[in-house]
Amino acid sequence: MEANAPPERPKNLCQVADYLLSPQSGVKKRDGVFNESRVTYFRGKGAVNSLLKPEFRQTAVGKELGELTREQAGELLGSMIPHQFFLKVERSDDPDVPKNVLQLVQYQSFSEDSVFVWRYEGSQLRSHLMAGGLLLIVLAGVMFPLWPVPLRLGVWYLSVGVLILLGLFFAMAIVRLILFCITYVILKPGIWIFPNLFEDVGFVDSFIPFWGWHEPEEPKEKQQSVKKSGKAIAGEEAQEEVHTQVVTDETADKISKRRPMVEDGVEDES
């Protein structure tokens, strides 16, 4: 074992570190320079807040630890420093040095106001699998002449089929545009074949309906004026509704609390 290698890391702390590195933790990761190499660092307060989230309690290690207080979360993160998951650093006081240049702090302890640089990269299984898959794809392409004849024929037919489909798509787009230009001159506002072809819809909905009239876009000024008038009308209606409701409530309240008096009868008679 190398002298500078980190000590053996407990499994539960590795799970905590994997959660902090995951997107669901919400810990903001910043790029910096430490020992002349690019690193990722974070603030202690963000790590504590992530351990207090319900998402952490749903993980395996979160269920094991239970609901943590802010002090317990800080102690948990502090116990990860001796295992070199991250190291406490600070920014240089020299105004000529960039702010993202970090320096190691001699006394290693956890605090929410401090900055920590990651020394743990997480599980590399996914990266190794992706690298192995890419290598296999490259080797398969290089060794294409050695493939069995039926397999090579299948790949050739598949590639020809994809090229034919692409050619048909481009031909349909060109015919569609030509037909629109002709109908725009003869039958305004023009006709589109498959009007939803380039819209943000599903594959089947792109070909439904078969044809449709061209719908010119309204000027932006007109759209804005329509929106403003709609908001003004809605605001007036809301004010009228609120005013009517307030008057009705006050009147009903006065009527319910009011008692018949002799003076009322005299005023009505007069």
Side-chain angles (χ1 to χ4, degrees), residues 58 86 142 157 168 179 186 195 214 224-225 241-242 249 252-253:
Q58 294 175 0
F86 43 79
V142 172
Y157 286 131
L168 290 175
L179 181 61
I186 300 174
H214 174 66
Q224 292 178 357
S225 62
E241 291 178 0
V242 171
D249 291 341
D253 187 52

Side-chain angles (χ1 to χ4, degrees), residues 167-200:
L168 290 175
F169 180 80
F170 285 113
M172 180 177 58
I174 294 172
V175 172
R176 177 175 178 267
L177 180 60
I178 294 173
L179 181 61
F180 169 73
C181 293
I182 295 173
T183 55
Y184 184 79
V185 177
I186 300 174
L187 299 172
K188 286 189 176 182
I191 296 175
W192 284 109
I193 296 178
F194 304 125
N196 295 327
L197 185 63
F198 295 104
E199 298 295 333
D200 188 12

Side-chain angles (χ1 to χ4, degrees), residues 25 28 32 35 40 46 60 117 119 188 218 220 232 241 245 248:
S25 67
K28 293 183 179 180
N35 289 340
T40 303
V117 60
R119 306 297 290 173
K188 286 189 176 182
E218 296 182 358
K220 293 184 178 180
E241 291 178 0
Q245 185 68 23
T248 304

Side-chain angles (χ1 to χ4, degrees), residues 6-254:
E8 185 178 356
R9 291 161 171 162
K11 183 179 179 181
N12 60 338
L13 296 183
C14 290
Q15 293 175 348
V16 175
D18 291 334
Y19 167 76
L20 294 175
L21 288 170
S22 65
Q24 63 179 349
S25 67
V27 179
K28 293 183 179 180
K29 302 174 185 176
R30 298 176 174 84
D31 295 330
V33 179
F34 179 68
N35 289 340
E36 299 182 355
S37 60
R38 294 186 63 86
V39 294
T40 303
Y41 68 95
F42 64 95
R43 187 170 292 278
K45 185 177 181 180
V48 172
N49 292 335
S50 66
L51 296 182
L52 302 179
K53 289 184 176 180
E55 289 81 356
F56 176 70
R57 293 194 293 270
Q58 294 175 0
T59 61
V61 64
K63 294 178 181 178
E64 180 181 349
L65 295 174
E67 187 172 358
L68 301 175
T69 62
R70 200 167 192 87
E71 291 75 12
Q72 292 173 341
E75 292 176 359
L76 176 62
L77 292 169
S79 65
M80 299 173 67
I81 295 179
H83 299 282
Q84 297 186 18
F85 284 97
F86 43 79
L87 298 175
K88 185 177 181 180
V89 293
E90 63 181 358
R91 298 183 177 91
S92 176
D93 296 332
D94 190 351
D96 297 331
V97 178
K99 292 183 178 181
N100 62 342
V101 177
L102 307 173
Q103 299 176 350
L104 184 67
V105 177
Q106 184 176 3
Y107 181 69
Q108 292 290 313
S109 62
F110 183 83
S111 62
E112 295 190 18
D113 297 332
S114 301
V115 177
F116 302 88
V117 60
W118 279 108
R119 306 297 290 173
Y120 174 76
E121 297 180 356
S123 177
Q124 301 298 315
L125 178 60
R126 182 179 179 182
S127 300
H128 294 161
L129 291 176
M130 292 178 65
L134 181 61
L135 181 61
L136 290 177
I137 292 173
V138 173
L139 289 176
V142 172
M143 300 176 64
F144 179 77
L146 302 178
W147 289 14
V149 176
L151 188 58
R152 281 187 288 171
L153 286 175
V155 173
W156 185 81
Y157 286 131
L158 181 61
S159 60
V160 171
V162 172
L163 290 176
I164 291 174
L165 289 176
L166 289 176
L168 290 175
F169 180 80
F170 285 113
M172 180 177 58
I174 294 172
V175 172
R176 177 175 178 267
L177 180 60
I178 294 173
L179 181 61
F180 169 73
C181 293
I182 295 173
T183 55
Y184 184 79
V185 177
I186 300 174
L187 299 172
K188 286 189 176 182
I191 296 175
W192 284 109
I193 296 178
F194 304 125
N196 295 327
L197 185 63
F198 295 104
E199 298 295 333
D200 188 12
V201 294
F203 176 78
V204 177
D205 295 334
S206 299
F207 300 94
I208 299 174
F210 177 72
W211 70 277
W213 292 102
H214 174 66
E215 298 179 358
E217 296 182 358
E218 296 182 358
K220 293 184 178 180
E221 296 179 356
K222 186 176 180 180
Q223 292 179 359
Q224 292 178 357
S225 62
V226 171
K227 289 182 180 179
K228 290 180 180 179
S229 61
K231 290 181 179 179
I233 293 172
E236 292 177 359
E237 292 179 353
Q239 289 179 358
E240 290 179 359
E241 291 178 0
V242 171
H243 177 71
T244 304
Q245 185 68 23
V246 170
V247 172
T248 304
D249 291 341
E250 291 179 354
T251 305
D253 187 52
K254 289 180 179 179

